[in-house]
Amino acid sequence: MKIETLSVHAGRKPDAATGAVTPPIHLSTTFEREANGEYPKGYNYSRSSNPNRESLEICLAQLEGGQSAAAFSSGSAAAMTIFQALSPGDHIIASDDLYHGTRNLIKFFEKWNIASSFVDMTNINNVEKALRKNTRLVWIETPTNPLLKIIDINKISILLKKRNIKIVCDNTWATPILQQPLELGADIALHATTKYIGGHSDVLGGAIISKKDDQFFQKIREIQKSGGAVPSPFECWLVLRGIQTLPLRIRAQSESAIQVAKFLDSHRKVEKVYYPGLPSHPGHNIASAQMKLFGAMISFQVKGTKKDAMRVASKVKIFVRATSLGGPESLIEHRASVEGPDTKTPQNLLRMSIGLEHPDDLIEDLSKALK
Ligand SMILES: *Cc1c(COP(=O)(O)O)cnc(C)c1O
């Protein structure tokens, strides 16, 4: 089945008890045992599993082409679970441009004796040079946040073949509609379902999808169940609902983003545009090969200083000045101030999430703000 069809149907079926087409939300935290002590429906306590989370996990596994998925209460909880599944003495290689929360988490695990190297993965030699005997995890994020670097997932998987190293790809910005990391050689796809997958700026969530239901995934499952950083049944329901329109939303948003990026690229007050859909982007060819469209995130540097960038952000009327991404409303933010004092992000850089408004209106809004 095609991914549009899976998005509508995977993990769902009409409710056996009532015929309801939309799944009921099962709020019960506990489930009844049979007289013989068994749990014939497979559920016993909602932290371990519940019908809404199970539906969501089945759906996510099918969308990413994995054997199993585990849903979490946020993208960060999902990322933390992967680091917790490592052992003291292990080493992680991650991209130098990376969601700042993931970078902070990796650093956080230093005190559990998990070492890390942050390298520019657009050059595969840097990954090879960073390899150590104890490297167990390579963390890819592509496109990267906030500089939209493109990392060649397949090339890295070929480099690491036959080594005991898990390749994780944070696929939040591309979604399985635009990019399929497991097919390109990654072992695990990770999502902040908070973003495009939920898609309406109204639910936090995370997910880990594993190509194989192997020992490493079993560890993840164990941490999910015993650690309990799980989404509530209602949150699972919201994310599953969001998925039904994901293919349409991400396509429309990506198509608008190309137009906005082109507009900015030709504007005299813009110093630089970071968008992989522009032929001038250094990762354009790789993105064309590994992504179906180029996504709906754009960063750009305003000519001048932080003050000039802030002034542009202060003048927009349709874009909402807020962090996050992937919702129906377009967002704009001064990224360096979100990332804090250690940031390497240029001070005149603004990051945008292109929403579902008409691109002409977005371009007019930016045009007025740049005047
Ligand atoms: C937002 C985000 C995360 C973290 O997700 P939360 O749900 O906010 O914890 C991780 N990776 C990327 C790429 C993100 O954009």
Side-chain angles (χ1 to χ4, degrees):
M1 259 189 270
K2 308 266 195 227
I3 203 156
E4 292 78 2
T5 312
L6 287 174
S7 299
V8 174
H9 292 289
R12 295 167 168 265
K13 51 180 178 300
D15 180 43
T18 62
V21 171
T22 293
I25 302 169
H26 293 280
L27 294 174
S28 188
T29 52
T30 189
F31 298 83
E32 191 183 26
R33 281 186 199 238
E34 286 289 280
N36 65 7
E38 285 177 3
Y39 289 101
K41 308 281 192 318
Y43 309 109
N44 57 40
Y45 184 62
S46 207
R47 170 159 48 73
S48 302
S49 73
N50 65 68
N52 293 101
R53 196 168 89 218
E54 197 175 80
S55 294
L56 176 61
E57 289 174 345
I58 290 169
C59 178
L60 288 168
Q62 290 195 26
L63 291 187
E64 285 285 13
Q67 264 181 3
S68 292
F72 292 87
S73 53
S74 70
S76 302
M80 188 165 75
T81 301
I82 289 180
F83 305 134
Q84 286 172 326
L86 295 174
S87 300
D90 289 352
H91 172 243
I92 302 170
I93 301 175
S95 166
D96 61 346
D97 193 49
L98 185 69
Y99 174 65
H100 74 296
T102 305
R103 174 194 303 277
N104 292 344
L105 269 179
I106 291 173
K107 294 238 164 97
F108 186 78
F109 275 83
E110 278 173 9
K111 65 179 169 208
W112 277 280
N113 195 21
I114 291 177
S116 49
S117 310
F118 295 91
V119 302
D120 180 358
M121 292 190 176
T122 58
N123 181 347
I124 190 134
N125 295 332
N126 294 333
V127 179
E128 192 161 16
K129 270 188 259 165
L131 283 171
R132 299 182 191 169
K133 264 205 274 294
N134 56 339
T135 304
R136 288 290 164 269
L137 192 74
V138 168
W139 189 282
I140 302 172
E141 183 182 288
T142 183
T144 66
N145 181 5
L147 296 180
L148 289 118
K149 290 185 185 180
I150 298 295
I151 297 166
D152 191 329
I153 303 167
N154 190 240
K155 221 173 186 178
I156 290 185
S157 83
I158 290 167
L159 171 74
L160 301 178
K161 217 175 197 159
K162 299 210 178 107
R163 292 181 203 248
N164 180 22
I165 297 175
K166 288 284 177 198
I167 303 173
V168 176
C169 179
D170 184 335
N171 203 27
T172 300
W173 280 29
T175 84
I177 311 303
L178 304 188
Q179 174 172 281
Q180 304 239 288
L182 304 185
E183 202 164 286
L184 294 163
D187 301 293
I188 286 172
L190 178 129
H191 283 281
T193 54
T194 311
K195 313 295 172 51
Y196 291 103
I197 289 187
H200 293 76
S201 312
D202 57 10
V203 59
L204 279 177
I208 294 169
I209 300 106
S210 184
K211 190 168 195 162
K212 298 212 178 83
D213 199 341
D214 56 7
Q215 221 179 349
F216 192 72
F217 185 77
Q218 286 311 317
K219 256 192 220 170
I220 287 167
R221 181 67 86 196
E222 189 188 323
I223 297 165
Q224 179 205 32
K225 289 181 175 185
S226 47
V230 291
S232 72
F234 180 48
E235 289 167 322
C236 295
W237 187 93
L238 278 174
V239 174
L240 195 68
R241 182 178 73 160
I243 288 171
Q244 292 191 298
T245 54
L246 173 65
L248 291 171
R249 287 187 284 106
I250 188 79
R251 242 175 246 134
Q253 285 167 288
S254 302
E255 278 157 14
S256 295
I258 291 188
Q259 296 187 43
V260 175
K262 281 185 183 156
F263 161 76
L264 290 172
D265 199 39
S266 64
H267 199 288
R268 64 189 175 82
K269 293 213 177 141
V270 173
E271 182 182 317
K272 188 169 178 185
V273 180
Y274 300 84
Y275 185 68
L278 294 174
S280 57
H281 186 284
H284 179 69
N285 289 342
I286 298 165
S288 303
Q290 78 180 8
M291 299 176 81
K292 289 209 177 75
L293 289 164
F294 302 100
M297 295 299 295
I298 304 172
S299 291
F300 68 105
Q301 285 171 264
V302 177
K303 271 189 194 149
T305 59
K306 172 178 176 178
K307 231 176 90 195
D308 297 294
M310 289 298 227
R311 188 158 50 225
V312 173
S314 76
K315 283 162 67 181
V316 289
K317 295 278 193 293
I318 297 173
F319 281 87
V320 181
R321 283 177 296 279
T323 193
S324 199
L325 55 122
E329 58 289 307
S330 292
L331 305 178
I332 190 163
E333 72 168 328
H334 182 254
R335 194 65 198 160
S337 41
V338 175
E339 294 181 347
D342 311 333
T343 182
K344 290 193 198 107
T345 300
Q347 288 293 333
N348 61 347
L349 181 136
L350 296 173
R351 193 191 79 178
M352 297 186 302
S353 166
I354 301 302
L356 286 165
E357 303 92 341
H358 197 287
D360 292 353
D361 292 331
L362 297 176
I363 288 170
E364 193 186 332
D365 197 27
L366 287 170
S367 172
K368 285 182 179 157
L370 281 160
K371 276 234 167 77

